[in-house]
Amino acid sequence: MTTQVPAILKDSADAPFRQGLVERRDLRPDDVRIDIAYAGICHSDIHTVREEWGPCIFPIVTGHEIAGVVSEIGSEVTKFKVGDHVGVGCLVDSCGECDYCVKGSENFCEKGAVGTYNSKNYDGEIAQGGYSQQIIVTERFVLRIPDAISLEVAAPLLCAGITLYTPLKRWGAGPGKKVAIVGMGGLGHMGVKIAAAMGADVTVISQTMSKEEDGRAFGAVDYRATEDGSVFKELRNSFDLIVCTVSADLPLDKYLGMVKPFGALVLVGLPEKPQNFQVFSLIMGDKVLTGSNIGGIPITQEMLDFCAEHDIAPTVETISADEVDAAYDRVVASKVRYRFVIDTSTIAPE
Ligand code: NAP
Ligand code: ZN
């Protein structure tokens, strides 16, 4: 017998969200049932349901920043017990056997990892995400939330946190390194906090100066706005690493110009359309232009522990189930401060 669980659903790209029920499978031996407390709103949820990246499987329950409490475990579960604080991010399954899975890069599973929503499980069941009061996930994809991090602020770490932690670590953010974070929204503000905690010298590059005070409070030592076009000239060859969280079309050559020779520009924002750049912008400085995709399970746990140890957490605005449409509009208008988190206890289907 499956379980019907209160959830926030969308029936088409144009339809508003509605509160209803979503079906959850029976607990398998390796499964964990999680009573979800909070679910973050990632811009990827918006791209997906508005079909900006391609067709979406409707009706959908989005949400891949999930924090809650274990309420039941399958007979073979060893990592978790009832009452544990746990999280789930963008993935809920992978083959577990290919080289990538074995090395903890489950996001690049050769069989294709199963996304938390808008995806099919290996048995054909449609995966439904975290804007819901419960989810069932194999224990391999469940993360432990350290006691120092409350569930309300833990949720956004499961996507925004890991998406910035991975490239900052890989490309060496740390003492003596100059790092710029482009776009200070959900991902970007976590990038500022994490890069500062790693010991880097952090600059925010935003569209305007309106969030300067917050950026400096998050740990940035400099804050610049692109509306003043002189920034590209002034900061030429300045950064060892730039991580760009923007999903709009940007003049990549100008951003590459701000990277120091041998440095890297890492794209994590996901624009709808192809982007252009001059190869000269790379060659005149042996620069790297690359991307970064969330992170596998081991590095996600490492990131959660890092945030607990360094006392950093997302800055959130908690909303109720009937405020999701309005929250989406605010995210799209760059008016989010800095991540919306849904209190799932407010979901009340009629
Ligand atoms: P968000 O909260 O909307 O933040 C994006 C920020 O980009 C905005 O706050 C804004 O910052 C800036 N921005 C928006 N429109 C812009 C424009 N036209 N020109 C220049 N800057 C603009 O979104 P998010 O949740 O952080 O997600 C950001 C992107 O990352 C999305 O495309 C999302 O799908 C993607 N993503 C990727 C991964 C991955 O694995 N690579 C994981 C999660 C999300 P300012 O106001 O400071 O300018
Ligand atoms: Zn996300």
Side-chain angles (χ1 to χ4, degrees), residues 182-184 205 207 243-250 255 268-271:
V182 184
M184 202 172 74
I205 299 178
Q207 295 166 96
V243 183
C244 177
T245 72
V246 175
S247 55
D249 301 333
L250 290 185
Y255 286 84
V268 295
L270 280 154

Side-chain angles (χ1 to χ4, degrees), residues 3-14:
T3 323
Q4 302 282 325
V5 177
I8 304 168
L9 299 106
K10 202 165 165 67
D11 294 317
S12 73
D14 303 325

Side-chain angles (χ1 to χ4, degrees), residues 43-44 47 184 186-187 206-207 211 245 247 268 292 294 339:
H43 206 127
S44 300
H47 292 302
M184 202 172 74
L187 267 57
S206 180
Q207 295 166 96
K211 296 180 273 189
T245 72
S247 55
V268 295
S292 189
I294 45 170
R339 198 58 143 183

Side-chain angles (χ1 to χ4, degrees), residues 40-45 53 63-65 89-90 117 156 158-163 187 294 339:
I41 294 179
C42 176
H43 206 127
S44 300
D45 302 349
W53 292 339
H64 58 208
E65 295 185 335
C90 301
Y117 59 76
L158 278 304
C159 177
I162 187 58
T163 301
L187 267 57
I294 45 170
R339 198 58 143 183

Side-chain angles (χ1 to χ4, degrees), residues 43-328:
H43 206 127
S44 300
D45 302 349
I46 303 174
H47 292 302
T48 303
V49 299
R50 297 191 175 175
E51 300 195 299
E52 291 165 0
W53 292 339
C56 173
I57 308 169
F58 291 109
I60 189 169
V61 179
T62 41
H64 58 208
E65 295 185 335
I66 299 168
V69 181
V70 174
S71 57
E72 192 182 355
I73 55 170
S75 57
E76 290 169 13
V77 168
T78 57
K79 278 169 60 188
F80 300 100
K81 59 179 192 321
V82 171
D84 284 352
H85 282 195
V86 294
V88 176
C90 301
L91 304 175
V92 289
D93 207 358
S94 73
C95 83
E97 287 164 5
C98 71
D99 281 355
Y100 298 102
C101 285
V102 169
K103 289 187 180 137
S105 297
E106 298 88 348
N107 44 333
F108 303 129
C109 170
E110 283 176 11
K111 189 174 171 185
V114 179
T116 305
Y117 59 76
N118 201 35
S119 181
K120 272 191 187 161
N121 283 322
Y122 293 145
D123 62 6
E125 168 207 24
I126 308 270
Q128 296 285 16
Y131 299 2
S132 165
Q133 289 180 349
Q134 239 179 49
I135 193 166
I136 292 179
V137 180
T138 172
E139 69 168 333
R140 285 198 300 120
F141 284 82
V142 178
L143 284 304
R144 184 172 299 284
I145 295 177
D147 292 341
I149 306 176
S150 76
L151 292 179
E152 193 165 3
V153 294
L157 294 174
L158 278 304
C159 177
I162 187 58
T163 301
L164 271 291
Y165 184 84
T166 302
L168 288 169
K169 182 179 177 194
R170 174 166 176 196
W171 295 97
K177 292 294 166 79
K178 290 196 69 170
V179 173
I181 303 290
V182 184
M184 202 172 74
L187 267 57
H189 94 289
M190 278 318 299
V192 176
K193 293 185 185 198
I194 293 170
M198 287 174 168
D201 174 319
V202 185
T203 297
V204 176
I205 299 178
S206 180
Q207 295 166 96
T208 68
M209 295 302 285
S210 63
K211 296 180 273 189
E212 180 182 10
E213 202 179 318
D214 290 344
R216 290 186 186 273
F218 297 157
V221 297
D222 198 4
Y223 198 103
R224 301 298 185 101
T226 51
E227 67 182 357
D228 172 7
S230 63
V231 66
F232 298 105
K233 218 180 214 169
E234 283 169 24
L235 296 180
R236 205 172 159 70
N237 290 341
S238 290
F239 300 105
D240 298 285
L241 171 63
I242 300 181
V243 183
C244 177
T245 72
V246 175
S247 55
D249 301 333
L250 290 185
L252 288 182
D253 296 300
K254 288 186 174 175
Y255 286 84
L256 282 166
M258 293 193 289
V259 175
K260 283 184 191 173
F262 306 111
L265 170 59
V266 183
L267 307 180
V268 295
L270 280 154
E272 270 174 76
K273 298 192 208 106
Q275 303 293 300
N276 286 308
F277 66 95
Q278 284 281 357
V279 176
F280 272 95
S281 304
L282 298 179
I283 290 184
M284 305 314 280
D286 284 20
K287 298 179 185 180
V288 177
L289 173 61
T290 186
S292 189
N293 175 254
I294 45 170
I297 295 301
I299 194 173
T300 304
Q301 189 63 59
E302 178 185 311
M303 173 277 306
L304 288 165
D305 297 341
F306 175 92
C307 289
E309 192 185 322
H310 290 85
D311 200 19
I312 49 179
T315 299
V316 305
E317 187 174 330
T318 303
I319 60 167
S320 57
D322 55 3
E323 295 176 297
V324 177
D325 287 300
Y328 272 33

